[in-house]
């Protein structure tokens, strides 16, 4: 009995020691990460007279916007500071000078009181003009201060009626301030002029334009943009892909934007040094009505046309964006030569649309390029799948093996003792 107890205690100590060792090797708690500044978002809503029009799911544009806002306010992450600004909500008259100043902050940017914000939105009624430019300037001022990410989400159903203050130029001026503020626009009317203006506003700051014609599309897209505000803002660089790798622009690590027509192929190239790993991803944004079946492809090939690796995605039904990515580790050479390999990236899509939908300009795409130190031979497998968690899995397996052997040996010893007695 004494021997049996000692063995049992010994097994317990061994298991406790292994468990403690594994625990001490685990990464530090996330609580130790320095707190980030809360992201700021301001929703800018068009409350001009045209919002009375009943063409969204059988109800007025204003009613659809209010419903979408209520759903968005329920889903705002706790860490996001959110505000609401209106344009055209107060002045019903014909005085252009007065009407073009009609913008105010409905709810201040800060910690969200959902009930108070919903109550403020419920009071809105379609009223006046469409001063988009002044509203954007006011929203930029509302978001001033601090070093957090900042985002304006503009929802409108018409062109700015307060020229000569061009809202596109206003967006460019906001971008020139260098405050890393992104403006995303959502258009409630499939009109070419409106789309052109809202697209220009968004592109000036690295944002996106989306056409929405249903309430669920509106609420879903605004939720996405509010959630995205919590991510670091990087101003993308405009580029233009080529028809072949030979003429393709050479990209460095960063975020790039381009436009691609339906069923088009565009090429880019990246130089990858031995020992580096290329990580690339691309997103295509459906900013107009498209047919239900679609797909996209991101391929890495050599300059001679041999495919290295590919990533693809497809789907059916309504989507705002579709994304795919790939990784290519370039093996380290035995000598000191550091000659870069040119990798050609091909971006293709299989989107299609009804004949009434224009293919120009192409759909917006975002291409992310990153070059990191590649895995060495000892950790090639760990570079994918479970990543560096393999060592933990191995340690747990070893612990289980040792514990199993010891428990089995003890069981056999107990049986032998029982037979002897």
């Amino acid at each position: 009995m004494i021997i049996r107890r000692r063995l049992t205690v010994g097994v317990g100590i061994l298991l406790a020691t292994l468990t403690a060792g594994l625990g001490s090797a685990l990464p530090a708690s996330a609580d130790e990460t320095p707190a980030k500044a809360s992201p700021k978002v301001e929703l800018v809503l068009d409350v001009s007279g045209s919002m009375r029009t009943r063409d969204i799911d059988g109800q007025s544009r204003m009613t659809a916007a209010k419903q979408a806002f209520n759903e968005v306010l329920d889903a705002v992450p706790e860490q996001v500071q959110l505000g609401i600004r209106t344009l055209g909500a107060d002045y019903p008259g014909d005085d252009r000078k007065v009407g073009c100043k009609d913008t105010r902050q409905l709810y201040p940017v800060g910690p969200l009181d959902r009930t108070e914000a919903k109550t403020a939105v419920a009071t809105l009624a379609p009223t006046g003009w469409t001063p988009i430019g002044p509203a954007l300037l006011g929203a930029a001022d509302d978001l001033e201060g601090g070093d957090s990410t900042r985002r304006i989400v503009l929802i409108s159903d018409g062109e700015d009626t307060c020229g000569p203050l061009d809202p596109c130029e206003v967006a460019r001026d906001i971008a020139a301030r260098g405050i890393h503020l992104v403006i995303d626009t959502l258009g409630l009317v499939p009109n070419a002029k409106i789309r052109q203006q809202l697209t220009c506003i968004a592109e000036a700051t690295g944002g996106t334009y989306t056409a929405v014609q249903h309430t669920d599309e509106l609420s879903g897209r605004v939720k996405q943009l509010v959630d995205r505000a919590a991510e670091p803002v990087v101003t993308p660089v405009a580029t233009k892909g080529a028809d072949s790798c030979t003429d393709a622009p050479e990209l460095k690590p960063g975020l790039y934007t381009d436009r691609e027509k339906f069923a088009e192929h565009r090429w880019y190239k990246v130089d990858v040094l031995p020992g580096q790993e290329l990580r690339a991803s691309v997103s295509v944004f459906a900013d107009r009505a498209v047919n239900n079946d679609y797909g996209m492809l991101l391929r890495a090939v050599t300059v001679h046309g041999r495919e290295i690796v590919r990533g693809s995605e497809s789907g059916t039904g309504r989507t705002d964006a579709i994304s795919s990515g790939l990784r290519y580790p370039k093996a380290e050479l035995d000598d000191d030569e550091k000659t870069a390999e040119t990798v050609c990236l091909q971006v293709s899509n299989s989107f299609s649309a009804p004949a009434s939908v224009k293919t120009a300009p192409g759909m917006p795409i975002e291409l992310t390029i990153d070059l990191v130190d590649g895995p060495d031979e000892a950790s090639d497998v760990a570079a994918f799948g479970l990543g560096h968690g393999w060592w933990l899995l191995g340690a747990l397996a070893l612990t289980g093996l040792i514990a199993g052997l010891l428990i089995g040996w003890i069981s056999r010893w107990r049986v032998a003792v029982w037979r002897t007695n």
Side-chain angles (χ1 to χ4, degrees), residues 208-210 221 228 283-288 319-322 351 363-366:
T208 60
Y209 161 75
T210 306
R221 183 56 175 159
R228 188 181 294 181
S283 297
V284 179
F285 298 91
D287 62 347
R288 65 205 72 179
T319 184
D320 290 310
I322 182 172
F351 279 91
M363 295 179 295
I365 68 173
E366 286 185 356

Side-chain angles (χ1 to χ4, degrees), residues 97-245:
K97 188 174 182 180
V98 176
C100 288
K101 295 180 180 178
D102 184 9
T103 177
R104 64 183 171 92
Q105 192 175 42
L106 183 70
Y107 186 84
V109 178
L112 180 63
D113 183 320
R114 302 176 199 276
T115 301
E116 185 178 340
K118 288 181 180 181
T119 301
V121 171
T123 64
L124 297 175
T127 302
W129 296 66
T130 312
I132 294 178
L136 293 178
L137 289 173
D141 291 339
D142 295 340
L143 295 170
E144 277 189 350
D147 56 358
S148 62
T149 60
R150 280 162 279 195
R151 203 171 206 101
I152 295 173
V153 181
L154 169 66
I155 301 101
S156 178
D157 71 337
E159 287 185 273
D160 183 278
T161 56
C162 293
L165 184 61
D166 184 352
C168 192
E169 290 299 326
V170 169
R172 293 191 182 105
D173 290 342
I174 290 174
R177 296 182 188 180
I179 57 176
H180 305 297
L181 190 156
V182 175
I183 303 174
D184 295 289
T185 59
L186 289 86
L188 304 183
V189 177
N191 175 284
K193 288 185 177 180
I194 296 173
R195 182 180 67 243
Q196 182 178 5
Q197 185 174 85
L198 295 181
T199 298
C200 182
I201 292 170
E203 288 184 341
T205 60
T208 60
Y209 161 75
T210 306
V212 292
Q213 294 179 271
H214 299 283
T215 306
D216 58 346
E217 293 175 2
L218 178 58
S219 60
R221 183 56 175 159
V222 177
K223 286 177 187 176
Q224 289 178 351
L225 295 172
V226 172
D227 290 341
R228 188 181 294 181
E231 302 173 1
V233 174
V234 178
T235 303
V237 177
T239 188
K240 188 174 182 180
D243 295 330
S244 66
C245 182

Side-chain angles (χ1 to χ4, degrees), residues 211-294:
V212 292
Q213 294 179 271
H214 299 283
T215 306
D216 58 346
E217 293 175 2
L218 178 58
S219 60
R221 183 56 175 159
V222 177
K223 286 177 187 176
Q224 289 178 351
L225 295 172
V226 172
D227 290 341
R228 188 181 294 181
E231 302 173 1
V233 174
V234 178
T235 303
V237 177
T239 188
K240 188 174 182 180
D243 295 330
S244 66
C245 182
T246 304
D247 302 322
E250 181 179 332
L251 304 183
K252 303 296 182 182
L255 177 64
Y256 299 86
T257 60
D258 198 355
R259 285 189 172 269
E260 186 172 78
K261 295 180 181 179
F262 296 123
E264 189 179 16
H265 307 278
R266 297 185 79 79
W267 289 87
Y268 313 86
K269 55 188 176 185
V270 182
D271 286 340
V272 184
L273 291 170
Q276 286 186 329
E277 180 177 279
L278 168 64
R279 299 179 181 178
S281 64
V282 65
S283 297
V284 179
F285 298 91
D287 62 347
R288 65 205 72 179
V290 297
N291 293 330
N292 284 343
D293 297 306
Y294 47 81

